Amino acid sequence: MTTESNSLHASQLRCERGNRTLFTDLSFHISSGQLLQIEGANGSGKTTLLRSLCGLFEPSAGNIFWCQQPINADSMGYHTQLSYVGHLPGFKLDLSPLENLAFAQGMLGQQPHPPALMSALDNIGLYGFETTPCRALSAGQRRRVALARLLLTKTPLWILDEPYTALDRAGTDRLNALLVQHLQTGGLVILTSHQSVNLQAVTIQRLALQ
Amino acid sequence: MTTESNSLHASQLRCERGNRTLFTDLSFHISSGQLLQIEGANGSGKTTLLRSLCGLFEPSAGNIFWCQQPINADSMGYHTQLSYVGHLPGFKLDLSPLENLAFAQGMLGQQPHPPALMSALDNIGLYGFETTPCRALSAGQRRRVALARLLLTKTPLWILDEPYTALDRAGTDRLNALLVQHLQTGGLVILTSHQSVNLQAVTIQRLALQ
Amino acid sequence: MRHALFTLLKRDLLLAFRQPSELINPLIFFLIVVSLFPMGLKPETPFLPMMGAAVIWVAALLASMLSLDSMFRADMEDGSLEQILLSPWPLPLLALTKILAHWLISGIPLVVMAPLLGLMFNLPAEGISALVVTLLLGTPVLSLIGAIGVALTVSLRRGGVLLSLLVLPLYIPVLIFGAGSVWDASLGLSIRGPVLFMGAILVLALTLAPLAVAGALRISLE
Amino acid sequence: MRHALFTLLKRDLLLAFRQPSELINPLIFFLIVVSLFPMGLKPETPFLPMMGAAVIWVAALLASMLSLDSMFRADMEDGSLEQILLSPWPLPLLALTKILAHWLISGIPLVVMAPLLGLMFNLPAEGISALVVTLLLGTPVLSLIGAIGVALTVSLRRGGVLLSLLVLPLYIPVLIFGAGSVWDASLGLSIRGPVLFMGAILVLALTLAPLAVAGALRISLE
Amino acid sequence: MWVWFHKLGSPPYFYRLSSRLLPWLAVATLISFVVGTIWGLFYAPSDYQQADTSRIMYIHVPAAMFSMSIYMVIAAAGAVTLIWRIKLADLVAAASAPIGASYTFIALITGSLWGRTMWGDTYWEWTDPRLMSELILFFLYLGYMALNAAFEDRRRAARAAAVLALVGVVNIPIIHYSVEWWTSLHQGSTTRGMQFAATIYPSMRYPLYLMMLAFAFFYAQLMFKNTRCLLLESERNNSWVKEMVTQHDAA
Ligand code: HEM
Ligand SMILES: Nc1ncnc2c1ncn2[C@@H]1O[C@H](COP(=O)(O)OP(=O)(O)OP(=O)(O)O)[C@@H](O)[C@H]1O
Ligand SMILES: Nc1ncnc2c1ncn2[C@@H]1O[C@H](COP(=O)(O)OP(=O)(O)OP(=O)(O)O)[C@@H](O)[C@H]1O
Ligand SMILES: [Mg+2]
Ligand SMILES: [Mg+2]
């Protein structure tokens, strides 16, 4: 994890979906150690906002800066800094958690290190399911596979779309611990959640989409 | 809605998945007006249990009775009594909510009645999205489409797998109101949820899978 | 129940023809596939009309097989299949309805195009009518047999190649009788025998396939 | 970066060949598809060896096209494609890697089977070697062109038929040169010309297609 | 009968029974095969029309017949799997499939070699119904094995494959009667009842019977062996397997 300070800054974003304007003139700024929770009713544009922040969706107006640089100026560089966990699983159901994680790590250009992968999976609560095909996992176990990626890729910026979905209480606690640790080592987190998020010793910024 | 009393009774169920026994010797009994919440960690077998109760999964041992009749003795009759909302959407993303709902109703052999469908969709909070293809709906809006089915099909037994997923607060409240109304008119509900469920004037039975 | 089955049929057709352009796309697809083959030949080759019959029939087999996956896989992945299984009607009849939809979408266009394609290949008039008759009897069999294959493989990751391994061998008799009849008819022979035989295959498939499909779907959805 | 691309390639191959037995399934698939055509013919037909070349080439076109959907659609639907787009490497190279995987899965088996299939159709030795050479040059082009088509249609519901409309016309030149060369070679003519031409098409496709695919994917994922 | 059926379905019982049967089967296979081969190849008269190539018959006919019988065994076991959910039936089917596929392959190869001498300059006729239906049988075996291997969960694999096997049964009468229903290049049916005795010399008949026995014994032997392997694998967590292994280790 980097010790220097990172920041994400959005200025006057406007997003539209099929003739409807979801939000306009939306700005925020977060920096290392901060967590931003995006709130809003169903269909208010949370997912669209997160995807814009990743560079997957192009806002109709406004700019997004990572450490003062527009994110599309050096999108590959930006992608080394970013982990996104969306509504969709983001991994292959036909592979095992271990294979999926090795793939995720390999895609960052790192040599996968099986013991590290195994311990990441144990850590997230998938002990005993490391080599089961993900198709045979339950909803919450699949969610954990998606989250396990965060443990490995070691990027400063995490963008999480409803990460608590399908997790049981133990899973929620583990995720919370993970977030706290990430923030304390200088990470940034942006997440959406319909439940209230409570983290020890972390102040949570909230942004509500109308 | 039927006024006579219905009941669902499971006796000594055992379910296995790929050599692992998920639970064994599980029994419960619920009757009209009662809600059963199934709890358990991720992967403990909640979904498998619900699917067994629907007759989609065959338990390795035990029996399930609907009004004292084994459910597979007259499975078609049982299916007229049952609505299931699972992890998957259960409708076509290429069709609009209205078309999907009309299909769901038609499949019960009823003639769809568009104004009733429209008011069911409004009721669940999809006003203005009735004819948008579901592919262009947000996660929570899709969930609402799945739940709208419950409003129409008027079956006494509802089996809901994590129905609160992706719903915002307003959506949660609407679902709760729906559940209360259903129970008060003699319905039965079995649901799973990792959050605690609070319904006014309803006592909730809980069943924990270890 | 009639109403429910009809609703299911209507939905499947609606999905296929969501846009007007998709109505003619299957036709163009056949036209392209069938015309690929002569393009692979040099102009000086003696391309016999009867080979046209074989080409059209092979295109029918492939087209039917390629569109099979859409019969159950999409429904499986978005959970609609569960809901269909939970509807209060006999599963074999529901399966038969979906098979009918598949045939209307993938089989009928072929039958409609057949005379045109036959002319393209210079088939004699008797050959063309034999082509239409055998396609009319044979394409439903392809949909029926194919449905068994998809129902068995629908819960597997990419079933594509496995599906073709299961289904194509069972298609072979239809191909042999179908193309053979066109041949015989063009030579002025009677095709009563093979046509009756194809009718028998159709009846057999109509009675047995829905049962097998229903069983296979139950297993796949476990 | 090499490592990342290699990881992606390995994953795609792993998905295709999850079990050792799946390695031979594509081979059997070709064998069945190619042998369908002669089954549609009567024994007395003068089945010319050159028609074998056309049949093999058409099978290559169809096999390549049919397996296209699996190149991006599955990745799109489970969100893996998003993750690949978010990886810190140039998208055209990532796309090229996926195309390579597709070719290894769908093209190579055909090249491997070609001599056997050629023998089945009684092609002369020169014809068989021409077949192998042209398939080796032509099948990658099929994967490259096809990838553009899938990338454009991947966000649409059932892109199948639309895809074949986009892609098959672009396949035709490859078919004509490929099958034509086998023909010429069998007659003892030189095939330097068409082979060089096919090489040129390949180089062109290799440079342009990945860019087009990358652009199309970005649009599809919005 | 019913009791016996259930007893046979019990894994430990089957395991013990097969241990006792296997040595006998091995001996029976060996004797019938050796005697049948020597008799067939050296002592039986050669056909006046086909010369010594007719001796391919001693391989071709039994392999072809049992390729069909084994398929019927698989289908019957499939029906048992679907109706009574007896695990052992599925294992027997799974164990039989590769053997049946090999027999089919042998029948195809020996048949086409034989055909080369009988039908003139061709190994294979694309439109001959007997040949086509036997080829379809081969593909069915391959499909059966591929489907069986494709499921992670044994229980579902067994049932899915059983459905396929039952569907494929339609092909069996087609193979058998193809030579009567259609004009075929293939030899007419000779093995049924009185006809058989009339059309084939006893001196050719007896070695053929012996070879049939050899193929049957060989199948039974391989089938029992394969089934035992599959059984141990699928029952590895059960007490009787553990007991047996510990006993074996102690001995
Ligand atoms: C690839 C070519 C061939 C295949 C696939 C094939 C297949 C078969 C099959 C499946 C049977 C068992 C029929 C039954 O039990 O109902 C059989 C039996 C037999 N075959 Fe062939 N055969 C081939 C070539 C030949 C040839 C060339 C000859 C000799 C001229 C021949 C002679 C026989 C005889 C004598 C029988 C036993 C008679 C009977 O029960 O029908 N076969 N063959
Ligand atoms: N299709 C399948 N094939 C094989 N095993 C499966 C399959 N689906 C689930 N399992 C296994 O069965 C167990 C129970 O799964 P199930 O989906 O019932 O859990 P759950 O209680 O619903 O969990 P969650 O809270 O995560 O939804 C899990 O351990 C899972 O690995
Ligand atoms: N692919 C799409 N094409 C067109 N419109 C879309 C698409 N996806 C979403 N929309 C529309 O954009 C709006 C915002 O969707 P978005 O997914 O961003 O909402 P959200 O805030 O994440 O909601 P939820 O809480 O339900 O996940 C919705 O009204 C939806 O109808
Ligand atoms: Mg969202
Ligand atoms: Mg669950």
Side-chain angles (χ1 to χ4, degrees), chain A residues 17-18 20 22 40-48 87 162 194, chain B residues 129 135-141 166, chain D residues 222:
Chain A
R17 276 287 203 187
R20 281 179 57 236
L22 296 177
N42 289 143
S44 56
K46 301 180 294 301
T47 299
T48 309
H87 282 306
E162 303 193 26
H194 293 296
Chain B
F129 292 93
R135 196 176 285 292
L137 295 183
S138 77
Q141 290 169 329
Chain D
E222 277 246 314

Side-chain angles (χ1 to χ4, degrees), chain D residues 63-140:
Chain D
S64 178
M65 194 193 70
L66 305 180
S67 52
L68 279 178
D69 234 28
S70 68
M71 199 170 357
F72 297 119
R73 185 170 294 271
D75 278 355
M76 167 95 180
E77 288 180 353
D78 66 12
S80 312
L81 196 56
E82 271 170 15
Q83 296 295 341
I84 292 175
L85 253 73
L86 289 177
S87 74
W89 319 107
L91 188 52
L93 282 183
L94 294 168
L96 190 61
T97 310
K98 283 196 71 79
I99 296 170
L100 175 63
H102 177 260
W103 177 66
L104 290 175
I105 298 159
S106 80
I108 282 287
L110 200 72
V111 178
V112 171
M113 288 294 274
L116 182 63
L117 299 175
L119 281 179
M120 240 171 80
F121 290 120
N122 283 324
L123 280 183
E126 302 79 26
I128 292 183
S129 49
L131 188 63
V132 173
V133 171
T134 53
L135 282 175
L136 215 48
L137 288 172
T139 44

Side-chain angles (χ1 to χ4, degrees), chain A residues 17 51 54 56 58 76 79-80 84 88-92 94-95 99 103 106-112 149, chain D residues 3-4 7-8 11 14-15 18 74-80 82-83 85-90 94 221-222:
Chain A
R17 276 287 203 187
R51 290 174 67 88
C54 293
L56 287 172
E58 203 177 330
M76 279 189 280
H79 288 164
T80 58
Y84 171 65
L88 295 170
F91 53 82
K92 302 310 283 185
D94 297 329
L95 300 180
E99 289 164 331
F103 170 70
M107 281 305 281
L108 291 174
Q110 301 162 11
Q111 193 69 43
R149 216 173 40 224
Chain D
H3 181 68
T7 307
L8 182 58
R11 186 204 66 160
L14 189 65
L15 279 171
R18 202 71 197 74
D75 278 355
M76 167 95 180
E77 288 180 353
D78 66 12
S80 312
E82 271 170 15
Q83 296 295 341
L85 253 73
L86 289 177
S87 74
W89 319 107
L94 294 168
L221 262 187
E222 277 246 314

Side-chain angles (χ1 to χ4, degrees), chain B residues 17 51 54 56 58 76 79-80 84 88-92 94-95 99 103 106-112 149, chain C residues 3-4 7-8 11 14-15 18 74-80 82-83 85-90 94 221-222:
Chain B
R17 280 285 205 185
R51 291 173 66 87
C54 294
L56 288 171
E58 201 177 330
M76 280 188 279
H79 287 164
T80 58
Y84 171 66
L88 295 170
F91 53 81
K92 302 311 283 186
D94 295 330
L95 300 180
E99 287 164 331
F103 171 70
M107 282 304 281
L108 291 174
Q110 301 162 10
Q111 194 69 43
R149 215 173 39 223
Chain C
H3 181 68
T7 307
L8 181 58
R11 187 203 66 160
L14 188 67
L15 281 170
R18 206 71 194 81
D75 277 354
M76 168 94 179
E77 288 180 353
D78 65 14
S80 314
E82 270 171 15
Q83 295 296 339
L85 252 73
L86 288 178
S87 73
W89 318 108
L94 295 168
L221 265 185
E222 278 244 313

